[in-house]
Amino acid sequence: MVEFLGGSSMKFLAYFVFVCWFTVPPVEGRVRHYKWEVKYEFKSPDCYKKLAITINGRTPGPSIIAQQGDTITVELKNSLLTENVAIHWHGIRQIGTPWFDGTEGVTQYPILPGDTFVYKFVVDRPGTYLYHAHYGMQREAGLYGSICVSLPDGESEPFSYDYDKSIILTDWYHASRYQQAAGLSSIPFVWVGEPQSILIQGKGRFDCSTPGIQADLCSATNPECTPYVLTVIPRKTYRLRIGSLTALSALSFEIEGHNMTVVEADGHYVEHFVVKNLFIYFGETYSVLVTADQDPSRNYWASVKIVSRNSNTTNGLAIFNYYPNHPQRNPPTVPPPGPHWNDIEPRLAQSIAIKSHKGYIHPPPQTSDRVIIMPNTQNRINDNVRWSINNVSYNLPHTPYLIALKHNLTHAFNPFPPLEGYDFANIVEINSFLYKPA
Ligand SMILES: [Cu+2]
């Protein structure tokens, strides 16, 4: 064999071995096992008592903390008694394990009441991700949490910090999620209205003196609704992993008197840029670095405001607590009001500032093997307005699509017939023109 390899080939082989040895990430990581029980419990995350879905008694659920290449196993018992459950691992690519993606009706069947199911998948990229329910509107009832994947030992990121912390932002409605869902599918459509509060890592505050609120359901002194506290040591730098799982609210997050340096967006390292307000939309995650470099004799407000819609929801507030001040000591200042809801300039500036970090650019292929066109439209179907892709709107199938595909059950797809008066061909043409490979 060696005879066929000349000097330069040998060098190439040596180089190839070297490159593979040093660039292929370690395949075998550790197995991280989680045991979860999902059930309904009365919770008062914003002082108002209502049913929430918890994991091991908590909402948000336990964080999944792993290193790149680790295998996550989640043994989930569905104790909701009368409802199915499915968990989607948001941002995890599920390479080789699409059946563990947790999108009920698409990749797998949901977990039936009383059943236990074991999800098993590899977290192959470092970064900040989320998990959330993917059955009905269970996510809005509190079934969600964070996934934090760090680099393997000995590898470093293109920034440094002393500690990290995950924070999930959500909007919280007092109406049950059934009421919300029934409104969405009613004709005419009924919107549940503005959320009653914003939760920061599962904690918010609703004004119990609001007229019409039943006194025994709302208590301002309930310890469940004390503000979320982020304790920091003066002069240390913190990586805040911020995710949003709101139902329908764009948010602005800020920490009074502190700038934030954005270093990661949706699991990708980005060129660093500094913001006063971080704008975040549902399903997104960011990592920002914050240094505790202000007067350490007091605490500061962290504030979350709804933007892009003129909402009357009170801003969500947390306490940015400088150790050793008392964690629940209110800052001496009025909380920052946040940007005006329709001030689009800083939002646009943030979007424009997001660029792949120079050391982590993966250029797309120069040409494509195949062009797939997916026009995304809103169609009127039986007096309902429904989102469609390629003129097909999603209907919950009896057989999950991935299973139908595997068993060649093509009738299980049951697409809507092409709609009359819909200029489908023209859209295809426009898209072909725009996306024709070079
Ligand atoms: Cu998601």
Side-chain angles (χ1 to χ4, degrees), residues 88 90 132 139 245:
H88 171 57
H90 184 114
H132 61 81
R139 190 186 89 193
L245 283 174

Side-chain angles (χ1 to χ4, degrees), residues 22 37 44 57 113 116 134 171 184 204 213 233 236 264 270 301:
F22 288 96
E37 185 178 13
S44 306
T116 297
H134 218 290
D171 43 10
L184 290 172
I213 293 298
I233 297 164
K236 296 287 182 195
E264 183 210 351
V270 295
W301 294 110

